[in-house]
Amino acid sequence: MDIDAFVTAHQPTWNRLERLVQRRRELDGAEIDELVDLYQRVATHLSIVRSGSRDPMLIGRLSALVARARAVVTGAHAPAWREFVKFWTVSFPVVTYRTWRWWLGTAVVFTAVAVLFAAWVSGNPEVRAAVGTPEEIKQLVEHDFANYYSENPAGSFATHVWLNNAWVAAQCIISAAVMGLPIPQILYTNAANVGVTGGLMIDAGRGDVFFGLITPHGLLELTAVLLAAAAGMRVGWTVVSPGPRPRSQALAEQGRAVMTLVIGLFAVLLVAGLIEALVTPSPLPTWARIGIGVLAEAAFLSYVIVYGRRAARAGETGDIDNAPDFAPAS
């Protein structure tokens, strides 16, 4: 099917239905009859497009139009709870799942940089001397690092951590507007900070304290931040290599995918913040605190793999413009 010719031929019909839907409270009898007729015709167009084209933008547009027209014709609407469930079982996990290559690559590079910095600092007295005086390093490794997690009330600390992590993730998301170019620097700075602190703690013989405090919340926290960074860089790469789609269409799709991630990561970072405020400084044994962090990370990754893979196999994209289709396709 020549999709361009099909769009050209039926665009006036779609525009007319759109106008009638927008004026739904002002329609007279003849216009109501016209709206019902156009709704049936556009539903048929949607069925044709679905069977003869893989253009997600066009399918999403017609799906939304047919759903809105059906709501006017029948008075039906999508319950809010259904939209909520769809977001968490389809939209967010499928967008996350479809980003896995960028996400995994980002995680590998981030970890490598942090490990290299830790090894460099722990094995090089000259580097440690450049980081701080012996008194400053002693204060950090013996007091400041551990006290950071318990010196403030849990509630205010959780809020502070949540907002701070959300800001780092937001920087990555915002950077998508400039092709993601600042993101490597943002990640490098954070990886270097983690590596330097870890190197100082390990050199002082307090590596168990470092990993015992950073692991419970750090796994989920870094996973979320690295996902935001991966999504931002993926948008930037779309500018360079949009694939078979028009560049504007590819960018629009990736941009909406990023917005879906923003909402989902807001909740994920909240969980990480609560773990950091309530579990990390708790009197639980180290193995128990680390176990909680590992379980939280495993639960999130399992959720993404199970629901994301299922949605991807069903042809879902997570595009927020591709609203749930409550209208018949034929």
Side-chain angles (χ1 to χ4, degrees), residues 231-287:
M233 288 189 290
R234 189 183 184 195
V235 173
W237 183 249
T238 300
V239 176
V240 178
S241 178
R245 302 161 296 175
R247 181 170 279 102
S248 59
Q249 176 185 329
L251 280 173
E253 293 173 5
Q254 291 300 325
R256 287 192 295 270
V258 165
M259 295 311 299
T260 299
L261 285 178
V262 168
I263 300 172
L265 291 179
F266 198 67
V268 176
L269 288 172
L270 174 60
V271 174
L274 291 174
I275 293 175
E276 186 168 359
L278 302 176
V279 176
T280 298
S282 74
L284 290 172
T286 300
W287 65 264

Side-chain angles (χ1 to χ4, degrees), residues 22-225:
Q22 292 173 350
R23 296 179 49 245
R24 58 188 177 278
R25 300 183 185 280
E26 307 170 0
L27 302 181
D28 56 29
E31 288 175 324
I32 291 174
D33 291 339
E34 182 185 6
L35 186 147
V36 172
D37 176 64
L38 292 178
Y39 157 66
Q40 294 172 336
R41 289 163 59 186
V42 176
T44 301
H45 297 164
L46 174 60
S47 179
I48 294 171
V49 169
R50 278 179 165 167
S51 62
S53 170
R54 293 189 177 183
D55 185 338
M57 291 291 292
L58 179 58
I59 293 174
R61 177 193 173 191
L62 292 182
S63 294
L65 179 57
V66 169
R68 291 171 57 202
R70 180 174 184 269
V72 175
V73 172
T74 66
H77 64 280
W81 66 264
R82 189 175 297 174
E83 294 281 3
F84 179 83
V85 171
K86 178 179 173 63
F87 177 84
W88 290 109
T89 59
V90 176
S91 302
F92 177 57
V94 78
V95 169
T96 302
Y97 181 78
R98 288 163 62 91
T99 312
W100 76 267
R101 290 182 178 84
W102 285 86
W103 188 15
L104 178 60
T106 303
V108 169
V109 174
F110 182 94
T111 303
V113 171
V115 170
L116 288 173
F117 264 94
W120 187 39
V121 170
S122 64
N124 195 323
E126 291 79 11
V127 175
R128 294 195 297 276
V131 172
T133 65
E135 292 74 19
E136 291 172 336
I137 294 175
K138 182 178 180 180
Q139 178 68 23
L140 170 68
V141 300
E142 294 185 1
H143 302 286
D144 292 351
F145 183 77
N147 291 344
Y148 168 76
Y149 297 101
S150 57
E151 61 186 3
N152 293 307
S156 61
F157 183 60
T159 301
H160 169 75
V161 169
W162 182 30
L163 294 176
N164 180 70
N165 293 335
W167 169 238
V168 175
Q171 286 179 290
C172 296
I173 296 297
I174 294 170
S175 296
V178 288
M179 297 177 61
L181 295 177
I183 295 177
Q185 178 61 40
I186 295 171
L187 294 180
Y188 175 82
T189 301
N190 283 273
N193 288 337
V194 172
V196 169
T197 303
L200 294 174
M201 295 290 288
I202 292 170
D203 179 73
R206 295 177 63 82
D208 57 334
V209 176
F210 175 76
F211 290 108
L213 290 174
I214 201 171
T215 303
H217 63 276
L219 288 174
L220 188 60
E221 176 184 297
L222 284 176
T223 295
V225 171

